Amino acid sequence: MFYQKYIVIESLIEELHGMDLSNEERHHLSTLLDSSLHHAILDEILSNLSEPDKNVFLLKINQNPDDEKLMEFLNQRIENIEGKIRKVSNDLIKEMHKDIKEAKQK
Amino acid sequence: MNFTSKKPAFEHLRKRWVAKHRTLTNKVLEKHGSIGRQLALGGIGGLMLLATPGTGLLSAPHLLASGGQILKDKDTNILLANELSGKVPKEMRALNPQEDEEIAAILTKNFGFKIAPSLEGKRLNRTYGMIGGEQHLYRYPGDNLFQHGDNAVDFAMYGSAGIAPHLGAWGYFAPSQTEFSEKDKMRERYYIAVQTFLAPGFAERTAEYRDFFKFRKMVVVNPETGQSVVTDIGDAGPAEWTGKHLGGSPEVMNYLGLAEGPRQGAVLYFFIDDPGDTIPLGPVKVKDTQS
């Protein structure tokens, strides 16, 4: 995904690897983590784009979700989009860290 | 995906994260209308909607664009497995020259690019052997395991294999992180280790053979299922005493359907004649005309 370099999930991954989980369980949680981040970032982006730009964004991301030019497109339309992506992902990652901490006490 | 885990920690986390995911998904769907829906249904978002109960968005199989790849490969390539059945010996042994040529012709026909047991007069010690799972390789100075995955699922699937304490036979894939390219990334992701040192002629012309084998593309095929991967030679090994004939990266093993259990199995491995470097590394399906 084009936003991958702005999110830092290593600490969460380390926590998951430190838990007593089967490969299937770890895979399931990791999929939830990836997809939750994806939706949180999508919401942030779409909330800051005009309707016509949303359609262009949709077209571009469907063509190549890894295309780094997507960030150029967003940068021209949203002020500090990189910071916004970082913030929304960091907030969610912090929440998920709390969830892991609670889970470990069960 | 329904689990019957009795682990309280996992159950607690799963429930929390499913609820969190559902909230985030619904927010995108409700707030951003049809565009949100189309975006959420793509890629990992679509996968999760399919896997999450209660969203009411069960939909077309094409949405399994990424996570369904393994199953899809297996389905279409089963025709190749059928064609190979009877040609690949039941016992583990080296193929004879006639078998080599017959199987190379079948693979060439199915994949649509030239596949051969030898290239430029050079060949490996065998073309049919036992593959075992390898670890990740360091790609540039300062690389670490966490850099290898693009997302959490990558880590979950491939992270547990670990990273080898030594460099591959060709050293780092790139001299530094800044010079590390997408091509280098793919080369590590889809690398195999083959017994270059047992290739006929290697001892006499080591430098020439080393240059020939370095990142040379090979197709690796699981004859039982037809699952196939375009790989590159990224390391030398395994040692003869291991009883294995080649090794595959965690990703290669996954796409061959050999990532679980003992992480080994019988495979065919042939050179790809790709002088223009046009054939991408990664899982490969039989041509449409075959399906």
Side-chain angles (χ1 to χ4, degrees):
Chain A
M1 282 289 167
F2 66 95
Y3 53 71
Q4 210 63 46
K5 66 177 171 187
Y6 305 109
I7 62 175
V8 184
I9 53 171
E10 282 83 348
S11 55
L12 267 181
I13 299 301
E14 275 186 278
E15 293 260 28
L16 287 181
H17 275 282
M19 291 176 71
D20 174 25
L21 299 171
S22 68
N23 285 342
E24 200 177 29
E25 289 164 347
R26 190 172 294 114
H27 182 267
H28 185 58
L29 292 175
S30 301
T31 310
L32 285 167
L33 161 58
D34 280 340
S35 188
S36 296
L37 280 167
H38 180 64
H39 284 93
I41 292 167
L42 276 186
D43 178 45
E44 184 66 26
I45 290 169
L46 294 177
S47 299
N48 285 283
L49 284 178
S50 67
E51 286 302 316
D53 283 341
K54 282 183 190 177
N55 281 307
V56 178
F57 177 69
L58 173 66
L59 191 70
K60 285 179 181 289
I61 200 170
N62 277 341
Q63 281 170 348
N64 180 8
D66 297 321
D67 190 355
E68 292 191 358
K69 286 181 183 167
L70 272 162
M71 280 311 293
E72 282 176 31
F73 171 82
L74 294 175
N75 261 319
Q76 288 162 4
R77 287 156 181 83
I78 306 171
E79 192 182 344
N80 190 25
I81 183 60
E82 292 170 10
K84 285 183 164 72
I85 290 174
R86 282 200 176 95
K87 182 175 185 320
V88 76
S89 61
N90 284 343
D91 288 350
L92 185 57
I93 287 166
K94 270 183 200 166
E95 278 181 37
M96 291 176 135
H97 266 296
K98 275 187 196 165
D99 294 337
I100 290 177
K101 199 174 172 184
E102 281 177 21
K104 283 180 172 174
Q105 289 164 355
K106 295 288 168 187
Chain B
M1 202 181 299
N2 293 318
F3 287 106
T4 53
S5 172
K6 289 178 181 171
K7 296 173 187 168
F10 169 73
E11 281 304 324
H12 176 86
L13 201 51
R14 185 180 69 82
K15 283 178 187 164
R16 292 296 288 267
W17 285 11
V18 164
K20 207 177 291 281
H21 178 263
R22 193 171 298 155
T23 304
L24 287 163
T25 307
N26 288 339
K27 193 173 170 189
V28 172
L29 296 175
E30 288 163 13
K31 200 167 148 189
H32 304 291
S34 66
I35 287 182
R37 186 182 175 87
Q38 288 176 70
L39 279 169
L41 281 170
I44 51 177
L47 275 176
M48 284 314 304
L49 287 170
L50 292 169
T52 307
T55 55
L57 283 167
L58 293 170
S59 192
H62 74 271
L63 293 170
L64 289 165
S66 54
Q69 193 65 47
I70 302 163
L71 290 174
K72 208 160 59 178
D73 289 344
K74 191 173 180 177
D75 288 344
T76 54
N77 284 19
I78 198 70
L79 296 170
L80 172 61
N82 291 342
E83 200 169 348
L84 289 170
S85 170
K87 302 280 184 193
V88 178
K90 297 267 184 280
E91 70 279 17
M92 177 45 70
R93 63 166 172 79
L95 302 181
N96 63 44
Q98 188 185 341
E99 290 169 325
D100 269 344
E101 292 304 329
E102 278 180 9
I103 289 172
I106 291 172
L107 298 179
T108 297
K109 183 188 72 173
N110 275 273
F111 293 123
F113 46 80
K114 192 181 171 196
I115 290 166
S118 64
L119 277 184
E120 300 173 22
K122 298 180 179 68
R123 55 180 301 125
L124 284 165
N125 52 330
R126 52 197 299 154
T127 51
Y128 178 52
M130 186 63 72
I131 193 170
E134 298 285 339
Q135 295 180 297
H136 291 284
L137 293 174
Y138 285 105
R139 302 168 302 177
Y140 49 81
D143 189 23
N144 63 59
L145 187 58
F146 289 116
Q147 303 281 351
H148 282 242
D150 283 340
N151 51 48
V153 170
D154 271 1
F155 285 118
M157 288 181 74
Y158 308 125
S160 58
I163 194 160
H166 57 81
L167 297 179
W170 324 127
Y172 289 115
F173 290 76
S176 68
Q177 187 170 10
T178 49
E179 292 164 273
F180 181 66
S181 65
E182 187 66 20
K183 189 172 183 175
D184 299 321
K185 183 174 160 183
M186 292 298 111
R187 278 177 165 171
E188 191 278 337
R189 183 168 285 183
Y190 296 110
Y191 89 88
I192 55 170
V194 293
Q195 293 170 316
T196 52
F197 45 88
L198 296 180
F202 182 87
E204 295 79 22
R205 290 180 284 166
T206 304
E208 179 189 333
Y209 272 64
R210 183 196 58 217
D211 292 347
F212 171 80
F213 287 130
K214 187 176 180 180
F215 301 130
R216 176 70 56 180
K217 282 182 191 168
M218 299 195 81
V219 65
V220 183
V221 178
N222 178 346
E224 285 287 315
T225 63
Q227 285 165 286
S228 307
V229 188
V230 174
T231 67
D232 62 290
I233 300 176
D235 200 2
E240 280 184 275
W241 58 264
T242 62
K244 292 172 192 163
H245 306 108
L246 71 161
S249 72
E251 286 87 346
V252 167
M253 297 304 284
N254 179 53
Y255 284 109
L256 288 173
L258 300 170
E260 299 295 326
R263 295 181 71 228
Q264 63 178 35
V267 293
L268 297 160
Y269 48 118
F270 283 72
F271 291 116
I272 298 172
D273 191 10
D274 183 28
D277 195 17
T278 56
I279 298 162
L281 297 171
V284 60
K285 294 192 281 290
V286 297
K287 283 193 300 181
D288 287 344
T289 51
Q290 297 291 315
S291 53

